[in-house]
């Protein structure tokens, strides 16, 4: 591996130290080992670290399943300083004339187990208004399919389908912990079948100027999976008009009857933009057949009632970040 990296450094003019096989530096100004994030990912071995210096890196990146345990980190500690950005949408045409589709639109696709990211931003900057010819406007910033993944102080920017929190296959575990992250979007912008915890997150529901303006979640949790999405100790912000946003709807990919969404929003501040009846149907499937609940939320968008299922205190004790993430191996990244 080191020989390969040394040859690459000679060909690219990058500097390389003996420890670079496990730790590489990316800098768009040429002051690191590589100028692109993907080059750093390609070079680092499983378990290594890619440190990214400030800049906007306009590229599509992939972390393959074989790159287990790697860390991708911004060097300043500020997520806004390091931005990985591209602007493909589902309906964007590829060179061969076909379109990317939702999964293919992702700016970053991360398949590796044990992946960690910190202090950086992933953005899909697709602009609906600039491309009226594109009607399939799903535009993913990040698609994740790994297990035991941690995102710490990471920002996810997009509009429709910003964060696709998924698993590698039906029946495969995909536990993902998003700590102190910032996520923005409008339609179904937290979606997928992963077991994902959003802890102390700042979630911004953007204004599309319509009603409804959008949906925070569209989980597709498997019927046999106890835990889907947990939003806990977080804050939802929105410039949208009052009562124009749903907390979520149940996504059944391809009409799959065994995708039974599971979402809990607890101890989270909700804005006035949240509808008094915050859950809704999707593609003919009733939200009442999904596993939706709230617990001790606050703010002008919080409430109770027949259409706002609430956990009991006893139930709440089992719907915690630790319970969601433990799995069969007792994984506990929460702190």
């Amino acid at each position: 591996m080191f020989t390969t990296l040394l040859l690459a450094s000679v060909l690219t003019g990058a500097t390389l130290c003996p420890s670079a096989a496990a730790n590489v530096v990316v800098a768009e100004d040429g002051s690191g080992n590589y100028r692109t994030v993907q080059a750093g990912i390609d070079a680092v071995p499983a378990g290594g670290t890619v440190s990214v210096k400030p800049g906007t890196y306009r590229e599509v990146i992939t972390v393959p399943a074989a790159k287990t345990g790697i860390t991708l980190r911004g060097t300043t500690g500020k997520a806004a300083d390091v931005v990985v950005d591209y602007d493909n949408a589902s309906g964007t045409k590829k060179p061969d004339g076909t379109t990317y589709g939702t999964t293919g639109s992702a700016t970053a696709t991360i398949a590796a187990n044990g992946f960690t990211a910190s202090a950086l931003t992933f953005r899909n900057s697709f602009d609906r208004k600039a491309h009226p010819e594109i009607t399939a406007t799903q535009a993913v910033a990040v698609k994740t399919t790994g297990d035991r993944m941690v995102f710490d102080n990471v920002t996810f920017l997009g509009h429709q389908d910003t964060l696709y929190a998924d698993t590698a296959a039906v029946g495969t575990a995909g536990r993902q912990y998003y700590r102190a992250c910032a996520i923005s979007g409008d339609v179904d912008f937290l979606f997928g079948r992963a077991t994902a915890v959003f802890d102390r997150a700042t979630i911004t529901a953007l204004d599309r100027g319509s009603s409804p303006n959008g949906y925070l979640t569209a989980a597709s949790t498997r019927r046999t999976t106890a835990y889907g999405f947990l939003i806990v100790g977080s804050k939802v912000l929105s410039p949208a008009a009052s009562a124009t946003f749903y907390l979520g709807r149940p996504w059944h990919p391809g009409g799959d009857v065994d995708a039974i969404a599971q979402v809990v929003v607890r101890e989270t501040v909700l804005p006035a933009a949240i509808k008094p009846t915050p859950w809704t149907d999707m593609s003919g499937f009733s939200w009442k057949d999904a596993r939706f609940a709230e617990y001790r939320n606050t703010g002008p968008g919080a409430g109770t009632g027949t259409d706002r299922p609430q956990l009991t205190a006893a139930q709440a004790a089992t719907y915690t970040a630790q319970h969601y993430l433990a799995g069969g191996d007792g994984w506990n990244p929460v702190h």
Side-chain angles (χ1 to χ4, degrees):
M1 175 62 73
F2 181 73
T3 301
T4 301
L5 287 170
L6 180 59
L7 177 59
S9 71
V10 171
L11 293 175
T12 62
T15 58
L16 188 67
C17 64
S19 63
N23 301 283
V24 301
V25 177
V26 172
E28 62 177 357
D29 63 5
S31 62
N33 305 111
Y34 302 95
R35 289 180 180 270
T36 69
V37 176
Q38 189 63 57
I41 292 167
D42 292 344
V44 77
T49 296
V50 180
S51 298
V52 187
K53 290 187 176 183
T56 296
Y57 297 83
R58 182 167 169 75
E59 55 182 304
V60 173
I61 69 170
T62 299
V63 180
K67 297 279 184 175
T68 56
I70 74 167
T71 295
L72 185 64
R73 57 178 290 273
T75 58
T76 69
K78 297 180 180 179
D81 289 347
V82 176
V83 180
V84 181
D85 172 69
Y86 215 75
D87 60 352
N88 286 329
S90 176
T92 301
K93 286 187 177 181
K94 296 189 283 189
D96 64 3
T98 62
T99 56
Y100 283 97
T102 299
T103 290
S105 74
T107 298
T109 301
I110 306 169
N113 292 342
F115 175 84
T116 298
S118 65
L120 45 80
T121 294
F122 296 106
R123 180 171 67 200
N124 190 314
S125 54
F126 173 72
D127 185 344
R128 294 186 186 113
K129 292 182 179 179
H131 294 281
E133 78 282 5
I134 296 177
T135 56
T137 59
Q138 298 89 345
V140 177
V142 175
K143 180 172 184 181
T144 54
T145 59
D147 186 38
R148 296 170 62 112
M149 306 180 84
V150 175
F151 295 83
D152 191 1
N153 181 28
V154 173
T155 296
F156 304 84
L157 300 177
H159 288 270
Q160 183 172 357
D161 291 7
T162 304
L163 175 56
Y164 192 170
D166 206 21
T167 70
V170 172
T172 300
R175 292 167 294 170
Q176 300 163 14
Y177 183 47
Y178 299 84
R179 178 175 51 229
C181 290
I183 308 154
S184 69
D186 45 48
V187 177
D188 304 333
F189 63 99
L190 299 172
F191 75 113
R193 67 171 171 249
T195 294
V197 173
F198 303 93
D199 183 6
R200 290 160 281 175
T202 300
I203 300 170
T204 301
L206 300 174
D207 186 4
R208 289 192 299 155
S210 62
S211 185
N213 265 301
Y215 318 82
L216 267 67
T217 67
S220 56
T221 322
R222 297 302 298 170
R223 183 190 299 273
T224 53
T225 301
Y227 297 118
F229 291 175
L230 172 65
I231 298 172
V232 57
S234 297
K235 186 172 186 178
V236 179
L237 307 174
S238 183
S242 295
T244 58
F245 254 96
Y246 289 100
L247 288 177
R249 55 183 182 170
W251 181 35
H252 293 256
D256 184 358
V257 296
D258 289 320
I260 309 296
Q262 195 283 318
V263 180
V264 168
V265 181
R266 61 177 294 171
E267 295 152 324
T268 289
V269 181
L270 301 179
I274 300 300
K275 285 178 169 284
T277 54
W279 310 102
T280 191
D281 305 340
M282 186 176 188
S283 303
F285 290 92
S286 172
W287 73 265
K288 293 182 179 179
D289 295 327
R291 295 169 286 175
F292 293 148
E294 298 177 77
Y295 184 69
R296 292 185 177 178
N297 293 322
T298 58
T304 59
T306 304
D307 291 327
R308 300 193 77 151
Q310 304 288 315
L311 298 177
T312 65
Q315 290 171 329
T318 66
Y319 287 90
T320 64
Q322 290 88 345
H323 279 86
Y324 270 68
L325 299 173
D329 57 11
W331 186 50
N332 183 14
V334 181
H335 63 77

